């Protein structure tokens, strides 16, 4: 397959719920939360380290019914698609990432059922989530098995009667499980004689206990607890899919989708913090004028962060649309999901950090909430695969693509972007193309010098790939906005001219990063003469493309503050 930005589907809202239903769901969520969870209650719950189980159940039950968006219509849900889920997750995270995590946990917990269960199992469990609003938890991580799930130690021993397996006895411990202390049902990954397998376990099973909630840095409104399994019996019909050994494959199959959800948490958390900083900067006067009128402040603490967040959004939205178009089967878009997660969560984390700085001393206190958001959004670079695991996942896959296509993968991407530039010269596509060309040259230097044997080089390539592909995705999104072909359920906060400026700023950053950081690591790892590499990176062109950067940043700032005039 060629580079991912080539194959975006025609936007359609025919998959999932219609645009109006989605808007209504988001509106109901905000109305519900305005009543039930004002800032003062959030701060109190965060301070007291309490998960508001009543709220979680109301949100995932009859009162609000958020779970319905995740469940297919045949099981009583609304059959939301990936784009619907991203839009909802972003809004949830804008409110509180801890609450969002509780909702996510039911979705994650039921994932192995979605992808691997028998028809009877799906009918039983997915219907119960839709109709009864039962909460799920996803039990994969163990004290010794985090990023490397293959190291899991929990065992499921078959129990036979008259020569037939009637059930399993599960023993082990699960660590850091969201909803661990409050869920009604759990999917548990355990080692069977046939290999790792998922089981559904109900609360109250004999031998199953949960630890007290963890005292966490952030997402303190989310219950996170260890699970203890001491010879717990589960009937054979609770072995997901009825066949042993499918567990790790099933866990992999859904990453493209679930990582988009966490990516949307990074996006929502980052924007929530940044919007607070934007509002604050219009009222805080220093040296005679509001902070919002100080270019050095806005161009350091606001504009670069919103640009990075919007690059994350472009990747999320594009990947979501491709999943909805049917491209994501068997984990085919896992790398795109990883890029989206990496870009959006790192951007969200950096934006929240900048939002504290933007508030000065007030940002360092609890009252202004940005301090809480910063602690909350931090988790998004850790769970559902850490940023380093994302870098590795992205780099390994794209390295293979580079080899398989004899180096054409990113040259093709650059060609497509040059085509886009011909049609839409203002969206930064030519600069994004420079990032693609530089990446192709770097990957080739790594191949010739066998440099990816250095894990550091491989992981840094993962970062550079994410920037280059993010730039391509954002340029395409800006072009779609200019042509009036954005996804019908797309976020429309920024108009076409603003998106074009945002895209140009990100493309400049991406190209510079790819060429200069890439050159640094390749030269740093190599012992050969690499004098031919620098010219093939087109550094002069990339430097020349920085012209107009400040004017674009001024235009973006002006768009952001327009609402306050
Ligand atoms: C609040 C919270 C909620 C969670 N909810 C759930 C849940 O509901 N269900 C669930 O199953 N799990 C859950 N987790 C677990 C989460 O997914 C893991 O914490 C995460 O995958 C990382 O695993 P680890 O903590 O064991 O860290 P480790 O894997 O030990 O990683 C430690 C550090 O080493 C790096 N690292 C790891 N491997 C490599 C490598 N090969 N090369 C280079 N660097 C590497 C990592 O990036 C990280 O920086 C949750 C965790 C938290 C904190």
């Amino acid at each position: 397959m060629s580079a991912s930005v080539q194959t975006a589907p025609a936007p359609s809202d025919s998959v999932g719920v219609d645009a109006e239903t989605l808007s209504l769901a988001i509106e109901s969520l905000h109305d519900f939360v305005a009543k039930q969870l004002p800032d003062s209650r959030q701060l109190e719950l965060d301070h007291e380290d309490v998960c508001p189980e009543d709220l979680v159940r109301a949100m995932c039950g009859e009162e609000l019914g958020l779970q319905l968006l995740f469940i297919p219509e045949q099981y009583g849900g609304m059959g939301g698609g990936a784009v619907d889920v991203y839009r909802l997750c972003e809004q949830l995270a804008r409110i509180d990432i801890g609450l969002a995590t509780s909702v996510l946990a039911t979705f994650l917990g039921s994932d192995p059922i979605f992808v691997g269960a028998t028809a009877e199992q799906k009918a039983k469990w997915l219907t119960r989530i839709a109709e009864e609003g039962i909460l799920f938890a996803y039990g994969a991580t163990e004290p010794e098995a985090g990023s490397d799930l293959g190291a899991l130690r929990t065992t499921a021993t078959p129990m036979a009667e008259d020569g037939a397996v009637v059930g399993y006895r599960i023993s082990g411990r699960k660590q850091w499980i969201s909803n661990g202390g409050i869920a009604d049902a759990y999917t548990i990954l355990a080692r069977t004689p046939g290999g790792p397998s998922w089981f559904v376990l109900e609360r109250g099973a004999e031998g199953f206990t949960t630890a007290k909630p963890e005292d966490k840095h952030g997402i303190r409104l989310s219950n996170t607890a260890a699970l203890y399994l001491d010879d717990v019996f589960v009937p054979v019909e609770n072995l997901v899919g009825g066949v042993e050994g499918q567990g790790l494959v099933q866990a992999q199959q859904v990453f493209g989708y679930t990582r988009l959800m966490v990516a949307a948490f990074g996006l929502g958390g980052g924007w929530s913090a940044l919007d607070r900083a934007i509002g604050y900067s219009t009222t805080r006067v220093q040296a005679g004028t509001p902070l919002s009128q100080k270019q050095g402040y806005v161009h350091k603490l606001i504009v670069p962060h919103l640009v990075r967040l919007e690059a994350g959004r472009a990747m999320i939205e594009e990947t979501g649309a491709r999943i909805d178009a049917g491209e994501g089967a068997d984990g085919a878009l896992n790398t795109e999901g990883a890029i989206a997660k990496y870009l959006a969560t790192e951007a969200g984390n950096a934006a929240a950090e900048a939002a504290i700085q933007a508030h000065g001393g007030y940002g360092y206190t609890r009252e202004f909430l940005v301090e809480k958001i910063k602690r909350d959004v931090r988790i998004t670079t850790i769970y559902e695969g850490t940023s380093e695991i994302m870098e590795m996942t992205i780099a390994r896959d794209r390295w293979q693509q580079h080899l398989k296509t004899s180096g054409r993968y990113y040259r093709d991407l650059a060609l497509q972007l040059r085509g886009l530039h011909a049609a839409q010269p203002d969206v930064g596509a030519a600069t994004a193309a420079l990032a693609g060309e530089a990446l192709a040259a770097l990957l080739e230097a790594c191949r010739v010098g066998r440099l990816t044997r250095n894990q550091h080089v491989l992981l840094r390539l993962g970062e550079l790939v994410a920037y280059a592909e993010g730039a391509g995705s954002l340029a395409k999104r800006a072009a779609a906005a200019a042509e009036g072909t954005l996804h019908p359920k797309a976020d429309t906060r920024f108009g076409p001219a603003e998106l074009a400026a945002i895209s140009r700023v990100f493309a400049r950053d991406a190209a510079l990063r790819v060429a200069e950081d890439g050159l640094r690591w390749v030269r740093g790892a190599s012992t050969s003469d690499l004098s031919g590499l620098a010219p093939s990176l087109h550094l002069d062109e990339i430097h020349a493309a920085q012209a107009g950067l400040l004017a674009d940043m001024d235009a973006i700032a002006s768009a952001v503050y327009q609402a306050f005039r």
Side-chain angles (χ1 to χ4, degrees), residues 138-141 146-147 175-178 216 219 224 379 382-384 386 388-389 392 455:
Y138 178 81
T141 306
S147 301
Q175 187 74 13
W176 318 120
I177 305 305
S178 302
K216 304 190 295 292
I219 58 164
T224 315
I379 189 60
I382 296 175
Y383 65 16
E384 271 302 280
T386 65
E388 294 70 36
I389 297 301
M392 196 173 349
Q455 195 203 28

Side-chain angles (χ1 to χ4, degrees), residues 170-243:
I170 305 183
S171 289
R173 176 177 169 169
K174 295 291 171 181
Q175 187 74 13
W176 318 120
I177 305 305
S178 302
N179 285 357
I182 63 170
D184 305 298
Y186 300 77
T187 36
I188 301 287
L189 187 64
R191 217 172 255 295
T192 65
S197 309
W198 288 100
F199 293 89
V200 185
L201 180 67
E202 288 192 72
R203 188 171 194 80
E206 203 180 328
F208 175 60
T209 49
T210 63
K212 68 178 176 52
E214 301 288 349
D215 181 2
K216 304 190 295 292
H217 174 66
I219 58 164
R220 289 161 71 86
L221 275 69
S222 162
N223 174 286
T224 315
L227 314 178
Y228 302 108
L229 298 112
D230 183 11
D231 221 18
V232 182
F233 180 77
V234 289
V236 68
E237 56 267 24
N238 286 20
L239 165 64
V240 173
V243 181

Side-chain angles (χ1 to χ4, degrees), residues 58-88:
M59 288 167 83
C60 297
E62 264 182 25
E63 217 168 320
L64 197 59
L66 289 184
Q67 83 286 8
L68 297 177
L69 204 81
F70 301 95
I71 304 286
E73 281 173 299
Q74 68 195 106
Y75 305 115
M78 292 161 71
V83 171
D84 302 319
V85 169
Y86 126 63
R87 293 301 316 276
L88 186 76

Side-chain angles (χ1 to χ4, degrees), residues 9 19 33 65 113 119 125 157 168 202 237 269 271 290 320 322 357 413 439 561:
V33 168
I113 300 171
W125 295 106
T157 309
Y168 291 81
E202 288 192 72
E237 56 267 24
W271 260 119
R322 292 179 65 186
Q357 188 72 12
L413 171 67
L439 192 55
Y561 285 104

Side-chain angles (χ1 to χ4, degrees), residues 62-129:
E62 264 182 25
E63 217 168 320
L64 197 59
L66 289 184
Q67 83 286 8
L68 297 177
L69 204 81
F70 301 95
I71 304 286
E73 281 173 299
Q74 68 195 106
Y75 305 115
M78 292 161 71
V83 171
D84 302 319
V85 169
Y86 126 63
R87 293 301 316 276
L88 186 76
C89 284
E90 180 190 356
Q91 297 305 318
L92 274 167
R94 274 183 162 271
I95 294 159
D96 180 272
I97 298 179
L99 272 188
T101 299
S102 278
V103 176
L104 170 85
T106 287
F107 184 78
L108 276 182
S110 56
D111 262 349
I113 300 171
F114 266 109
V115 299
T118 61
E120 295 77 34
Q121 288 170 333
K122 283 186 189 176
K124 176 175 176 181
W125 295 106
L126 300 182
T127 307
R128 285 195 64 191
I129 294 171

